[in-house]
Amino acid sequence: AGKSSDITGDLLLLFGKMLLLLVVVFVSGRYLVPRLLAAATKGKGNELFIITIVVICFSAAYATQALGLSLALGAFFAGLVISETDHAYHATGIVLPFHELFMSFFFVSIGMLVDVDHFLASPFLILGLTTALIVLKVLTTATALWALRHPPQTAQQTGLALFQLGEFGFILAVSGLQLDLLTEAHYQIFLCVSILSMGAT
């Protein structure tokens, strides 16, 4: 973003941090988290299990922020590690109501950020970008599944199910706005395209 005085050193440092993070995620996913969740399920009720999941997620988010990376990346890795354990379905069943609640907050808050005037000022640009996004994501997702030897119908259905902009896009867009890589007009176009693609999905 033009904020670095030593781009090579900063990139090497970032690479080192990511390598350290991946090692920690691998070790945690293989040895620490499964044992922790197994111990949490031995108690009566789900309270200890819920608290353990929350602590794992917040700890991972705090650790990545302490490394100079994003909170969301830590939460993502925590979810990834939990999903690979034997208790993934148990965790999903407990977290699902919270997921529905927070997804509602997420979509409402994104909708409140949109300036309708920006959409009305350039509707063809936004609709064109949305169409291009849909075509590109359907093709890349379907091609990836086809390369992994899944049936063509599965590849096509997956492409159609996943063509919207992901949640990480919002995190990157906010960072771009804060670092002056995006203007407010670009950010509004991004929001409009995101909402249209999610609505279409």
Side-chain angles (χ1 to χ4, degrees):
K3 309 290 182 183
S4 173
S5 56
D6 179 16
I7 189 71
T8 305
D10 287 344
L11 286 174
L12 287 172
L13 181 62
L14 181 63
F15 178 75
K17 288 178 180 179
M18 285 301 297
L19 200 60
L20 173 65
L21 184 62
L22 290 173
V23 169
V24 170
V25 166
F26 176 78
V27 172
S28 300
R30 181 61 66 91
Y31 304 106
L32 184 62
V33 173
R35 292 178 183 177
L36 197 59
L37 293 179
T41 55
K42 290 179 181 176
K44 292 181 179 179
N46 288 321
E47 293 83 5
L48 185 59
F49 188 76
I50 294 170
I51 291 169
T52 304
I53 289 173
V54 170
V55 167
I56 289 170
C57 290
F58 276 96
S59 300
Y62 176 78
T64 53
Q65 188 186 41
L67 282 172
L69 304 169
S70 74
L71 285 166
L73 188 64
F76 170 75
F77 277 131
L80 193 65
V81 167
I82 292 169
S83 72
E84 293 299 315
T85 66
D86 294 334
H87 305 281
Y89 291 109
H90 186 193
T92 302
I94 291 171
V95 172
L96 202 58
F98 298 104
H99 174 265
E100 300 298 330
L101 176 66
F102 286 125
M103 282 296 284
S104 301
F105 283 134
F106 171 74
F107 282 115
V108 169
S109 61
I110 293 301
M112 291 173 68
L113 288 172
V114 173
D115 185 356
V116 181
D117 291 335
H118 274 86
F119 178 79
L120 296 174
S122 51
F124 296 112
L125 173 65
I126 291 168
L127 291 172
L129 287 172
T130 304
T131 304
L133 167 75
I134 290 170
V135 171
L136 182 64
K137 286 206 71 178
V138 167
L139 287 175
T140 52
T141 305
T143 303
L145 265 77
W146 176 77
L148 293 170
R149 301 182 186 280
H150 287 280
Q153 185 179 2
T154 302
Q156 180 186 8
Q157 289 174 346
T158 306
L160 290 171
L162 296 176
F163 66 68
Q164 76 279 7
L165 276 171
E167 292 81 1
F168 264 110
F170 292 98
I171 296 164
L172 294 173
V174 169
S175 296
L177 192 63
Q178 291 170 346
L179 294 167
D180 297 325
L181 295 173
L182 293 176
T183 64
E184 183 62 34
H186 290 139
Y187 182 63
Q188 286 297 324
I189 290 171
F190 166 81
L191 287 176
C192 290
V193 171
S194 303
I195 289 172
L196 285 175
S197 68
M198 287 179 174
T201 307

